[in-house]
Amino acid sequence: MRSLLARREALLVLACILLLAAITARFPAFSTPKNLAGVFNDTSILIMMALGQSAVILTKSIDLSVAANVALTGMTVAMLNHVAPGLPVIVLIVVALGMGMLLGAINGFLVWWLDIPAIVVTLGTMTIFRGLAFVESGGAWVNAHEMSAAFLELPRAMFLGLPVLSWVGLLAIVLAVILFTRTGLGRAFYATGGNAVAAIYAGIDIGKTRFLAFVLSGAMAGLCGYLWVSRYAVAYVDVASGFELDTIAACVIGGVSTIGGVGTVGGVVLGALFLGIIKNALPVIGISPFWQMAISGAIIITAVVINARGERVKGRIILRRKELPL
Amino acid sequence: MSDQSAVLSPRHIPDRLDGPFKRALKSWETLLLAVAIAIAIANSLASPYFLDPWNLSDATFNFTEKAILALAMTFVIITGEIDLSVASIIALASTAMGAAAEAGAGTPVLLFIGLGVGFGCGLFNGFLVAKLGLPAIVATIGTMSLYRGIAYVVLGDQVYKNYPTDFAVFGQGYAFWIFSNEFVTFLVLAVIAGVVLHKTIFGRQVYAVGNNALAASFSGVRVRRIKFIVFLMTGVAAGLASVMLTSRLGSTRPSIAVGWELDAVTMAVLGGVGINGGTGNILGVVIAAFVMGLVTFGLGLLNVPGIVMSIFMGLMLILVIALPLVVHRINNRRRTAR
């Protein structure tokens, strides 16, 4: 029992249940299965991008450009759809995935080949990507009536009682579990962040591993670019503004260590759900959306403090931080 | 990728020539200065309005506030940390000043509040990073949304603009003829920052912490205290920048100074401060501030929209770090081939 409670995932499940119970006490309608499914659907995009982000953070890097990637990819596919409405949606999805991967590969390449710290690279590409979305569209919006029906329908289409968007989220979770726990690449993610020097001696190319983590994060962001734009039926330059913080927050809340090497898929998913429940509950319990930023900031700080406490128990590895920069 | 653990100096400009003069000629600062002059020439060719002294004087408003952030950010980055919350501190300090101004506070009180909020935010950042030992990136990402979030909570969709008329002196006044108060303040602060970083024991300790915190602590440097102080410095610098910006705009809205943390980091890095800590100097950062000011001013004269300018800033940030590394790598390859 004690070891179960000590686990981050169990604590998070408990936190989510307490949160739901508190909300339900005042607003019973919040916890109906239908509404909870809606909350999951709302959170699917965050879950997917947080999984990509967690791969990057596991390798002791950080990807601040994911939200800008969503904006640029989303704008591109929306404009493509506007210009050529006849193009099948599957082509647009492939374009979105490919473009997201390409943008992620640019980040990964700079980190891999030139050893530039990830935070600098992605701080730069963050503004570049969003700027390109502006250049591409001239600052204009692509509205719902300019998009084709098939483009808009897909994430909403119901399949076995859940929207396709939710299914994509579930699929991403399953794939991530397999990737993180059952493949060599998944082990390499952990090894690179856990102890880079040992990883090199074990024959892992840490540069390449980081590159692949960035490609994965970019691919998730690209796919979410399409999903975001079609779900909200509008594309503009400021889409997903600040969302990179939410993905990092989901990872940190879920127990992914920001110095790399520690974290689980389950934790990330629960961290994202925790944020998703709060975000969905705020308007229900009558708190203005202006509070959202302050609350998520406070949650991030609390989660980081708790994480740091958890790491301290295991003993501190001196010099770990100086081996390789974040 | 065999030399992954080797420490690459990001500013290494291949140099087989020795002697102080030639080294100075090949230094990063000289290169930056050349870039600044080239941009100035390009600007004056591109637009006939560039060389107008009043225009040039106005152009300083583009960058002085950010440059003040960058001066403090230089200290933080040299210690091997980063402060991403500076822009949000500006928003929070501006909100506090706006609320006080609505309540009828006078200019000295507003100045005190602006600097005080900056100090308080810096205190909290310093507490998180230096006392609790949290990674600065995540801690300041958290405070970044916390501080701006509080500004949103207080302001909502309002705008504060009931500032007393004499409050405008910080952002709109001129000290000597066409030299604005902001510009003069920046120059004075730059000199102070240069002296503190390069001529005092504290400055040496800042470098020591960034180069090797463990070795520094063994040689008696109080690492945590140094980190605490540099975060206090960015906080106060952000408070001061907030006073100037608010006074210049004469209004406060929660989206004030969005994205400025990027500009401050870019300025420092462009000025030759190694992002991994331990290297850099103030002169480079000051020249970099002028370079960025000239670029923004030139692009502004050519009617380039702000968000497109940010592409240039992002590209510059990456190129500036990447170019010396690429040159270094190519040179290495050539050396091993021989």
Side-chain angles (χ1 to χ4, degrees):
Chain A
M1 185 65 198
R2 191 165 207 167
S3 61
L4 190 71
L5 267 184
R7 279 189 65 102
R8 160 77 50 159
E9 287 82 1
L11 273 177
L12 271 172
V13 170
L14 203 67
C16 286
I17 291 174
L18 285 178
L19 195 62
L20 281 176
I23 302 164
T24 315
R26 290 282 302 280
F27 303 92
F30 191 81
S31 285
T32 57
K34 187 161 176 280
N35 192 54
L36 287 182
V39 171
F40 180 79
N41 197 44
D42 273 340
T43 316
S44 292
I45 289 181
L46 177 58
I47 290 176
M48 280 187 269
M49 285 173 60
L51 287 174
Q53 181 75 262
S54 70
V56 174
I57 297 181
L58 277 181
T59 65
K60 206 174 178 176
S61 300
I62 198 159
D63 190 349
L64 297 176
S65 71
V66 280
N69 188 336
V70 167
L72 179 55
T73 316
M75 179 60 83
T76 307
V77 289
M79 287 176 68
L80 213 56
N81 179 247
H82 177 45
V83 176
L87 222 55
V89 179
I90 184 73
V91 174
L92 291 175
I93 292 176
V94 171
V95 168
L97 258 175
M99 185 166 172
M101 284 170 95
L102 178 72
L103 298 180
I106 294 174
N107 288 330
F109 179 75
L110 289 167
V111 172
W112 179 15
W113 193 59
L114 290 176
D115 276 338
I116 308 180
I119 182 161
V120 182
V121 170
T122 55
L123 207 56
T125 51
M126 169 171 96
T127 56
I128 295 173
F129 294 166
R130 215 175 269 284
L132 287 177
F134 178 88
V135 171
E136 178 179 72
S137 64
W141 293 40
V142 181
N143 291 308
H145 64 89
E146 293 165 313
M147 300 174 185
S148 72
F151 182 86
L152 293 175
E153 287 299 313
L154 184 66
R156 260 172 273 261
M158 297 300 272
F159 179 71
L160 296 180
L162 274 180
V164 167
L165 177 59
S166 297
W167 285 111
V168 177
L170 287 171
L171 184 68
I173 295 171
V174 172
L175 289 179
V177 169
I178 296 172
L179 176 68
F180 282 30
T181 61
R182 293 283 176 272
T183 66
L185 181 60
R187 300 315 301 166
F189 287 158
Y190 285 94
T192 300
N195 190 333
V197 174
I200 293 172
Y201 284 131
I204 293 170
D205 187 337
I206 61 171
K208 193 168 149 196
T209 309
R210 284 203 176 122
F211 172 80
L212 291 174
F214 274 105
V215 171
L216 179 70
S217 169
M220 285 290 193
L223 180 62
C224 290
Y226 160 74
L227 291 171
W228 189 297
V229 165
S230 62
R231 170 144 204 269
Y232 296 103
V234 61
Y236 54 100
V237 176
D238 280 333
V239 155
S241 178
F243 201 67
E244 66 278 348
L245 299 184
D246 289 16
T247 65
I248 296 168
C251 291
V252 172
I253 295 169
V256 179
S257 164
T258 47
I259 44 179
V262 180
T264 60
V265 172
V268 174
V269 172
L270 286 167
L273 279 175
F274 185 74
L275 277 181
I277 293 172
I278 289 177
K279 209 168 260 190
N280 275 277
L282 281 182
V284 175
I285 56 180
I287 293 175
S288 87
F290 294 120
W291 275 90
Q292 202 164 312
M293 211 172 186
I295 290 179
S296 59
I299 294 175
I300 296 176
I301 295 170
T302 318
V304 185
V305 172
I306 294 174
N307 273 3
R309 281 284 140 81
E311 271 150 26
R312 197 158 297 168
V313 178
K314 281 181 254 156
R316 262 170 64 193
I317 302 165
I318 301 171
L319 275 181
R320 174 149 97 171
R321 209 186 71 80
K322 206 56 205 176
E323 272 166 15
L324 279 168
L326 185 74
Chain B
M1 297 307 293
S2 58
D3 60 346
Q4 261 157 341
S5 49
V7 181
L8 282 179
S9 159
R11 290 294 154 249
H12 180 83
I13 298 171
D15 185 11
R16 253 165 278 142
L17 302 163
D18 274 332
F21 178 70
K22 281 184 176 163
R23 214 177 300 142
L25 206 63
K26 282 199 159 189
S27 75
W28 185 253
E29 289 73 34
T30 319
L31 192 73
L32 266 183
L33 204 59
V35 170
I37 294 169
I39 295 172
I41 292 173
N43 277 349
S44 54
L45 292 177
S47 167
Y49 306 107
F50 177 74
L51 284 176
D52 182 79
W54 279 103
N55 263 344
L56 273 179
S57 164
D58 273 0
T60 60
F61 289 121
N62 275 327
F63 68 91
T64 37
E65 293 136 2
K66 293 173 189 170
I68 287 170
L69 292 180
L71 290 177
M73 189 70 87
T74 303
F75 284 78
V76 174
I77 298 181
I78 289 179
T79 62
E81 304 287 348
I82 196 161
D83 187 349
L84 295 177
S85 70
V86 280
S88 297
I89 297 179
I90 291 184
L92 187 57
S94 184
T95 304
M97 285 187 285
E102 295 280 317
T107 301
V109 179
L110 291 182
L111 178 66
F112 180 76
I113 289 177
L115 293 177
V117 170
F119 186 84
C121 292
L123 210 63
F124 188 55
N125 284 338
F127 171 75
L128 291 177
V129 176
K131 293 284 177 225
L132 296 185
L134 305 181
I137 291 184
V138 200
T140 55
I141 278 180
T143 53
M144 174 180 164
S145 40
L146 180 69
Y147 298 154
R148 198 178 286 279
I150 297 174
Y152 269 103
V153 169
V154 174
L155 268 165
D157 45 10
Q158 294 167 267
V159 174
Y160 287 144
K161 46 186 170 191
N162 277 341
Y163 290 98
T165 40
D166 56 348
F167 183 63
V169 68
F170 301 112
Q172 298 173 19
Y174 287 84
F176 306 102
W177 311 290
I178 60 170
F179 295 106
S180 63
N181 285 341
E182 281 199 13
F183 188 61
V184 173
T185 313
F186 163 60
L187 289 184
V188 171
L189 285 177
V191 171
I192 294 174
V195 170
V196 170
L197 186 60
H198 300 300
K199 301 285 175 210
T200 65
I201 295 170
F202 172 74
R204 295 313 304 163
Q205 292 181 336
V206 166
Y207 280 102
V209 169
N211 269 319
N212 189 335
L214 192 68
S217 77
F218 280 146
S219 46
V221 177
R222 304 176 79 165
V223 175
R224 285 172 178 242
R225 177 182 290 186
I226 300 287
K227 288 191 177 173
F228 202 95
I229 294 173
V230 294
F231 275 97
L232 270 186
M233 285 169 67
T234 48
V236 174
L240 182 62
S242 178
V243 170
M244 292 178 162
L245 180 64
T246 311
S247 149
R248 181 159 67 85
L249 301 176
S251 69
T252 298
R253 47 187 94 230
S255 61
I256 193 170
V258 161
W260 279 27
E261 65 282 336
L262 170 73
D263 291 339
V265 173
T266 309
M267 257 182 213
V269 171
L270 185 64
V273 180
I275 196 80
N276 297 331
T279 57
N281 66 57
I282 291 291
L283 179 64
V285 176
V286 172
I287 301 176
F290 278 96
V291 169
M292 286 192 44
L294 284 170
V295 170
T296 358
F297 182 48
L299 292 175
L301 283 178
L302 299 173
N303 285 326
V304 174
I307 190 159
V308 180
M309 273 186 214
S310 71
I311 299 183
F312 283 88
M313 294 303 161
L315 274 179
M316 210 147 77
L317 177 65
I318 293 177
L319 282 182
V320 152
I321 301 190
L323 275 181
L325 288 170
V326 172
V327 173
H328 180 73
R329 182 143 298 188
I330 291 171
N331 257 42
N332 258 2
R333 193 161 295 166
R334 204 183 298 155
R335 207 168 301 156
T336 47
R338 220 184 295 149

